[in-house]
Amino acid sequence: MSNWDILWSSYDVFLSGFYNTLKLFGLSAVLAFLMGSAMVFLLEGSRPRLKVPLRIFIDGMRMLPFLILAYLLYYGLPSAGIRMSAWTAGIIALVIYHGAYFAEILRGCRSTFAQGQVEAAIAQGFSQPKMFMRIILPQLILKTRGLLGNQLIILLKDTAFLVIITVRELTAAASSLSSTYFIPMEAFIVVIGFYWLISIGLELFIKMIGRFGAKRGFENA
Amino acid sequence: MDSSAWGLLIQGAWTTLWISGISIAIGVVMGLLIALLRVAKIPVLHQLLGVYISLARATPLVTLVLFIFLTAPTMGVNLNRNVAGIIALTLNTTAFNAEIWRSAFNNFSKEQREAALAIGMTPWVYFRRIMLPQITITSLPGLVNEMSFLIKGSPAIAVIGVVDLTRVTNRISAVTYDPLPPILAAAVLYMLIISLLVWLQRLAERKASRLAV
Amino acid sequence: MPETAAVSIRNLSKSFDGTEVLRDVSLEVQPGEVVSILGSSGSGKSTLLRCINWLEQPDRGDIRIAGDRIGVSDTGKPMSRRELAGMRARLGMVFQGFNLWPHLSVLRNVTEAPIHVQGLSKAEADERAMALLEKVGMADKREQYPYTLSGGQKQRVAIARALAMQPKVMLFDEPTSALDPELVGEVLGVIKDLSKEGYTMVLVTHEMEFARAVSDQVVFLDKGIIIEKSHPSEFFENPKTDRVRRFLELEAPAV
């Protein structure tokens, strides 16, 4: 039996790893984006109350490695009496960490908007949340799609760190297969191929948004 | 945390710094070489390098480190953990740096080349004296930013047992049974390192903006 | 026997993507002469200038600088990069967009080629550069970087940079077209001084009054063909063709 046959016979291990990685990625991408948008919404208005704490939080996260945050939640918090599973700790770490990055991307773009748009919306009687959802956020997404796409790919790659805190995701699958059958080369080639596929898929998705944006004159990301 | 714990932590920080430092140094130069080869658009090589860059950017560092460390012995090469870590970090950062250099090349003005050729410079003198110094300045903010990313990704080498600033916290808490303090202390040290790089990046940006005439 | 022409262009033709930009153009520029090339935009005048130092390669014809052919070596093969660089060093070129090198100070912009192409020592190059910066009135700005200068100042530095190679011929490609009107005068003043000092110059310009004042010969290009070549007084007062008459009427300053 060749090494590839051995791998094929345990395709279910890959599939469950792949599925777990997708689940980690999908769930935390959505939540992190919501969190980032919410933070930018809280920064709306001329004198937002939460400006300073949010600034500190966002900059703080951007100066930390993702893994140290995961360590903090999984290994550190139990000594403060807070215990959670590796899976939960992993998702929370991904959401908090990438939420801050999403917030920074959107905030940077928001600060370049002309005031006139907001005034026009207020003049028409939009409420603050409605204006944010209907006027600001759609433009932010179109304008920052390239950066958002990059961030999604970084998020995808950060899920692999969770193998270190014992989450059973895709890289963990390769690692366990390669130690069971001692075929690291083949196992990792398959797994890297999976990551590559998802990344290319994400890039295509961003291009699609780009075509949608180009029609509306949002040429440059 | 006692002084021996701090001592271990500093050792971990040093490991993170020197391993990342070597990878950054190689990665910046290799990135430039690859960008040059890509700009030259040599058939086949151009496509091969394109695939390398696309793959390296899509592969998580943890996965890459494991792949290199576990695969090398099957090909008869016994890699020391540190070397495996350096190779993985370098393969990763080189791909990002190559794209930073390449975009600086592509955005470089054609007019300056004409001015240099018109005054009698050979293409090589033009490259060395006019283009490279400016491309270096315009790429620098991006390169420093990528250095921050590399440091933030460097804990990946913990997965093969390199005792870096992240993994050293396990080692300390194995003795003290209290993981929270060393993890917080490591976080502070990471913040110091990254904030230094962010500060350097601002300096580089200020310098680069002066070239935008 | 007449002395060798500073620039001698014979039967030059050039097309871009099938469109002929220059058709069988011939022109001689004698040492010390100032030649202005006029024509409406798209007439091929910039292309002609850029062929002289081989920034554009003509399809047919040849160009000689003080008797030596540029672009093609004696053996008939294309010149090596090094040979070509050597020929170009004998021609100074001033561009519409200045094209200063932003990473170098004013002084270093001027000394860069003398040091790294001609192999002058830094001291020699500095001395030569300072004399030229003095001449164009930019000596006090020598330590500044291009981004701090106005367009007119940039162009004066660019002229000093070209002169620093001690070229046989100076080529000016619409040197004032990118300038605000109030800055045109200072640049034209410098070029005029050079003409009085006996520099050989070929000038593509839109400044009619200026061309009239400094030129020894005016050449009019239309659709890639030289249709008139004469002394400025005759060209401006007594044009031979309807085409030039129409052009002059349109370009005449609206007084």
Side-chain angles (χ1 to χ4, degrees), chain B residues 24-38:
Chain B
I24 287 168
I26 303 173
V28 167
V29 177
M30 288 285 292
L32 174 60
L33 292 178
I34 288 178
L36 283 172
L37 290 173
R38 290 262 280 164

Side-chain angles (χ1 to χ4, degrees), chain A residues 26 31 34 45 71 82 91 96 107 111 122 138 142-143 157 163 175 177-178 187 193 200 202 220:
Chain A
L31 292 176
L34 289 178
Y71 257 52
I82 304 167
I91 293 253
I96 294 180
R107 187 204 61 79
S111 65
I122 291 171
L142 284 177
K143 284 192 177 171
K157 294 195 290 177
V163 66
S175 184
L177 278 179
S178 80
I200 290 173
L202 280 172
N220 31 351

Side-chain angles (χ1 to χ4, degrees), chain B residues 42-159:
Chain B
I42 303 161
V44 186
L45 186 65
H46 181 75
Q47 282 78 7
L48 278 178
L49 290 173
V51 169
Y52 154 66
I53 288 170
S54 170
L55 258 178
R57 283 156 56 104
T59 307
L61 259 170
V62 184
T63 320
L64 188 61
V65 174
L66 280 170
F67 175 56
I68 289 167
F69 186 63
L70 298 176
T71 306
T74 66
M75 304 199 303
V77 187
N78 257 317
L79 278 189
N80 159 307
R81 289 169 205 283
N82 294 337
V83 176
I86 289 173
I87 293 175
L89 293 182
T90 305
L91 280 175
N92 175 272
T93 195
T94 297
F96 286 94
N97 288 336
E99 290 298 277
I100 293 168
W101 283 114
R102 193 165 72 106
S103 97
F105 274 113
N106 290 341
N107 292 331
F108 196 68
S109 82
K110 188 172 140 260
E111 287 79 24
Q112 290 199 52
R113 177 185 158 84
E114 293 197 336
L117 294 181
I119 209 162
M121 292 188 185
T122 55
W124 168 240
V125 173
Y126 157 71
F127 173 74
R128 201 167 44 88
R129 300 285 315 172
I130 307 294
M131 193 177 195
L132 190 58
Q134 294 186 59
I135 295 230
T136 306
I137 295 171
T138 48
S139 301
L140 210 51
L143 294 173
V144 178
N145 186 38
E146 166 55 24
M147 292 174 200
S148 304
F149 271 103
L150 186 79
I151 301 267
K152 287 188 272 186
S154 68
I157 57 179
V159 79

Side-chain angles (χ1 to χ4, degrees), chain C:
Chain C
M1 179 171 167
E3 56 181 326
T4 315
V7 180
S8 156
I9 299 168
R10 277 198 330 212
N11 309 109
L12 202 68
S13 294
K14 166 83 184 166
S15 10
F16 288 115
D17 306 322
T19 324
E20 276 209 298
V21 188
L22 295 174
R23 302 181 210 192
D24 205 28
V25 170
S26 297
L27 177 67
E28 297 230 322
V29 181
Q30 300 306 327
E33 205 181 18
V34 177
V35 175
S36 293
I37 304 174
L38 307 181
S40 46
S41 59
S43 60
K45 54 194 194 303
S46 276
T47 308
L48 175 58
L49 197 73
R50 291 161 59 84
C51 281
I52 295 177
N53 67 356
W54 220 250
L55 285 180
E56 303 288 355
Q57 294 164 23
D59 303 329
R60 281 184 305 282
D62 66 56
I63 298 168
R64 287 173 191 275
I65 312 301
D68 298 323
R69 193 161 173 201
I70 187 170
V72 182
S73 62
D74 300 336
T75 57
K77 277 186 285 196
M79 277 187 158
S80 71
R81 289 166 174 186
R82 191 163 290 279
E83 289 173 300
L84 196 52
M87 287 298 293
R88 282 170 171 156
R90 297 158 69 176
L91 299 158
M93 183 155 188
V94 175
F95 298 85
Q96 182 177 347
F98 330 125
N99 301 2
L100 292 182
W101 298 311
H103 65 307
L104 300 174
S105 68
V106 164
L107 180 63
R108 292 295 150 234
N109 259 280
V110 180
T111 60
E112 186 68 11
I115 294 176
H116 294 280
V117 175
Q118 285 185 330
L120 252 59
S121 76
K122 195 159 163 285
E124 289 170 302
D126 281 3
E127 196 183 330
R128 187 190 286 181
M130 281 315 294
L132 289 168
L133 287 173
E134 205 78 60
K135 189 200 291 263
V136 300
M138 291 295 294
D140 54 327
K141 302 263 197 275
R142 63 184 173 277
E143 296 304 332
Q144 295 198 14
Y145 282 83
Y147 78 100
T148 62
L149 304 180
S150 73
Q153 293 173 325
K154 282 180 193 167
Q155 196 60 299
R156 285 188 279 152
V157 174
I159 292 172
R161 177 176 72 178
L163 289 172
M165 294 295 280
Q166 304 184 323
K168 298 270 181 294
V169 181
M170 286 287 285
L171 310 173
F172 292 87
D173 187 5
E174 306 200 21
T176 57
S177 300
L179 296 178
D180 293 335
E182 73 273 18
L183 301 176
V184 168
E186 60 187 74
V187 172
L188 293 184
V190 168
I191 300 175
K192 198 166 193 171
D193 289 346
L194 296 178
S195 75
K196 285 186 198 139
E197 286 176 37
Y199 277 92
T200 309
M201 305 202 279
V202 183
L203 191 65
V204 169
T205 186
H206 284 300
E207 301 286 335
M208 294 302 137
E209 283 308 310
F210 179 71
R212 183 176 191 163
V214 299
S215 311
D216 300 304
Q217 195 186 164
V218 174
V219 171
F220 188 84
L221 266 182
D222 185 42
K223 300 195 184 94
I225 301 171
I226 295 186
I227 59 170
E228 212 157 312
K229 186 160 32 172
S230 50
H231 192 268
S233 58
E234 194 179 325
F235 179 87
F236 286 101
E237 277 149 37
N238 201 6
K240 288 193 276 280
T241 58
D242 282 347
R243 177 73 189 87
V244 172
R245 210 166 293 131
R246 271 206 315 279
F247 175 80
L248 289 175
E249 277 162 16
L250 286 172
E251 293 284 329
V255 181

